[in-house]
């Protein structure tokens, strides 16, 4: 029999009386403590169900020293986060993994430099058990904030901040950005393209640097023609502008490796506006294999990274860090950085 929803809220004492045990025993069972026989645990759980008891989260936090919440901090403004499918896909992976572990997700974005103070205060005040941080830039203060707060943290992307090499190695999940870029450019070379440009992301982010390095390695030169390199800022508008810049500087280019599908959608717009046929005159290869690749005209040849799986892996690593025994039972995830596979997907544009 479940308690009357209009009546008083069931208490820990009421559960103890129904189960015929002490209040302390109920508290241990409800909060996941050890040292209670299986038969007694079953009686307590039955009483909880019958009475409709809901633990007080504040009281539980005092006992367990856990909040049941994780901060997901993206070092980008909301205009970028909500317009780029990369972030939505990664958040979906994170959300699903945390939900399965009965852990709440708290999303925090960096709109202005002033937001760092607000985020730092929140992270250091004990409101969350850990943090997932991604899309960090080279001078980002977020890692230092997490370290000062002694907050367990997993990063999305290879660490690139100044003191990342000091102390314990940061935990992170990334894709093989350099290898994926090499696949893209070697594919274009294999198709007979010789004037291959690149549209990069911001070079204060390690993913953009690694993809540019892979481009250089595939070309076999440490210093390609600088006119063939343009920064598109990982946005569609940026890709549009960068493609125009490249065509103005090198009108006879015959291919472009674009370091995100979103930028590639902008590059394709510029090529259409300039009357350049894709792939007959200019071949295009993107990176991500997200929705813009499928929607592109022509369909985009791209490098696939499993963004949703990367989000899940980030969450799994953090859950393992927070509760090694429990996480190990559910999923054997080593407490070490993870690099996922990048794979070329050939379609019509390249």
């Amino acid at each position: 029999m479940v308690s009357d929803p209009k009546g008083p809220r069931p208490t820990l004492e009421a559960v103890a009386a129904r189960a015929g045990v002490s209040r302390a025993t109920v508290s241990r069972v409800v909060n996941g403590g050890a040292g209670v026989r299986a038969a007694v645990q079953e009686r307590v759980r039955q009483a909880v169900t019958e009475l409709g008891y809901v633990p007080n989260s504040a009281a539980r936090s005092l006992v367990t020293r856990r909040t049941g919440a994780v901060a997901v901090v993206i070092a980008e403004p909301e205009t970028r986060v909500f317009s780029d499918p990369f972030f939505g896909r990664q958040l979906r992976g994170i959300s699903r993994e945390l939900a399965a572990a009965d852990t709440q997700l708290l999303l925090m974005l960096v709109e202005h430099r002033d937001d760092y103070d607000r985020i730092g205060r929140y992270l250091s005040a004990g409101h969350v058990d850990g943090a997932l941080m991604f899309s960090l830039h080279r001078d980002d203060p977020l890692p230092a904030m997490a370290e000062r707060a002694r907050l367990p943290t997993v990063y999305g992307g290879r660490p690139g901040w100044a003191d990342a090499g000091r102390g314990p190695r940061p935990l992170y999940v990334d894709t093989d950005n350099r290898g994926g870029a090499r696949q893209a450019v070697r594919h274009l070379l294999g198709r007979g393209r010789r004037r291959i440009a690149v549209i990069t992301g911001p070079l204060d982010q390690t993913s953009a640097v690694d993809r540019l390095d892979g481009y250089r390695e595939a070309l076999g030169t440490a210093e390609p023609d600088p006119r063939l390199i343009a920064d598109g800022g990982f946005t569609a508008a940026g890709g549009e502008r960068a493609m125009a810049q490249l065509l103005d500087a090198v009108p006879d280019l015959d291919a472009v490796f674009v370091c995100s599908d979103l930028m590639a959608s902008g590059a394709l717009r510029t090529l259409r506006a300039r009357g350049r046929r894709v792939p007959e005159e200019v071949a295009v290869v993107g990176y991500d294999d997200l929705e813009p690749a499928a929607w592109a005209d022509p369909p985009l040849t791209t490098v696939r990274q499993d963004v949703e799986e990367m989000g899940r892996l980030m969450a799994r690593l953090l859950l393992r860090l927070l509760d090694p025994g429990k996480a190990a039972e559910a999923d054997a995830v080593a407490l070490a950085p993870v690099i996922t596979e990048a794979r070329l997907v050939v379609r019509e544009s390249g």
Side-chain angles (χ1 to χ4, degrees):
M1 177 180 175
V2 178
S3 63
D4 181 356
K6 296 182 180 179
R9 179 174 176 172
T11 64
L12 209 62
E13 289 78 8
V15 175
R18 174 66 65 95
V21 298
S22 69
R23 184 185 188 280
T25 297
V26 175
S27 179
R28 283 201 298 275
V29 173
V30 168
N31 293 310
V36 180
R37 289 183 291 113
V40 175
Q41 289 186 39
E42 183 56 33
R43 289 213 314 272
V44 171
R45 293 191 185 107
Q46 182 66 27
V48 165
T49 301
E50 291 173 355
L51 294 174
Y53 172 74
V54 178
N56 182 288
S57 59
R60 173 181 277 185
S61 295
L62 289 173
V63 174
T64 64
R65 299 187 182 277
R66 294 280 294 277
T67 66
V70 163
V72 177
V73 188
I74 307 177
E76 300 291 350
E78 63 179 32
T79 50
R80 251 211 81 193
V81 171
F82 296 121
S83 64
D84 189 336
F86 174 91
F87 295 108
R89 188 71 68 87
Q90 191 153 30
L91 283 169
R92 183 162 63 184
I94 290 170
S95 176
R96 288 178 173 177
E97 200 68 27
L98 293 180
D102 196 24
T103 299
Q104 302 305 310
L105 182 158
L106 175 73
L107 181 61
M108 308 185 80
L109 307 179
V110 179
E111 192 71 29
H112 307 289
R113 294 296 299 185
D114 292 345
D115 290 332
Y116 284 112
D117 289 337
R118 171 182 57 83
I119 292 171
R121 289 195 304 272
Y122 193 90
L123 296 180
S124 63
H127 297 302
V128 293
D129 299 323
L132 299 169
M133 298 182 175
F134 55 97
S135 203
L136 302 184
H137 299 257
R138 185 179 297 122
D139 63 347
D140 213 301
L142 287 169
M145 290 177 180
E147 185 176 354
R148 283 196 300 271
R150 298 185 179 180
L151 190 67
T153 303
V154 174
Y155 298 95
R158 180 176 64 81
W161 53 92
D163 58 351
R166 301 174 192 167
R169 181 169 55 166
L171 283 177
Y172 66 91
V173 175
D174 203 354
T175 191
D176 182 9
N177 289 298
R178 188 176 294 204
R182 285 196 300 266
Q183 291 180 55
V185 177
R186 286 171 181 167
H187 170 77
L188 290 168
L189 290 169
R191 293 293 190 272
R193 309 294 171 145
R194 290 295 176 265
R195 298 283 280 170
I196 303 173
V198 61
I199 297 178
T200 76
L203 294 178
D204 64 346
Q205 292 186 293
T206 55
S207 59
V209 171
D210 290 346
R211 291 172 199 179
L212 178 59
D213 286 345
Y215 162 83
R216 288 173 171 143
E217 290 168 4
L219 290 180
T221 174
E223 296 298 334
D225 185 343
R227 297 176 303 160
L228 290 170
I229 301 173
D231 181 355
F234 279 147
T235 69
E240 197 170 5
R241 288 191 300 269
M243 191 72 250
Q245 175 187 329
L246 291 168
L247 290 171
D248 290 343
V250 189
D252 61 339
L253 65 84
D254 58 6
V256 57
F257 166 47
V258 191
C259 293
S260 81
D261 291 347
L262 198 60
M263 291 193 298
S265 68
L268 288 170
R269 278 201 299 270
T270 294
L271 289 167
R272 280 194 297 271
R274 296 286 186 97
R276 299 296 183 94
R277 292 174 299 147
V278 177
E280 293 84 358
E281 294 178 87
V282 181
V284 180
V285 177
Y287 201 111
D288 287 330
D289 197 24
L290 297 176
E291 285 81 356
W295 300 336
D297 181 21
L300 188 64
T301 292
T302 187
V303 178
R304 185 175 194 273
Q305 57 173 339
D306 193 338
V307 178
E308 187 170 335
E309 176 64 10
M310 289 165 66
R312 285 195 292 264
L313 288 170
M314 286 177 64
R316 286 179 199 168
L317 271 177
L318 183 59
L319 291 169
R320 177 81 187 274
L321 195 60
L322 294 173
D323 194 344
K326 186 175 180 181
E329 293 173 7
D331 194 348
V333 178
L335 280 173
V338 178
I339 304 295
T340 65
E341 179 187 18
R343 179 174 58 85
L344 186 71
V345 179
V346 179
R347 298 193 182 97
E348 296 175 25
S349 74

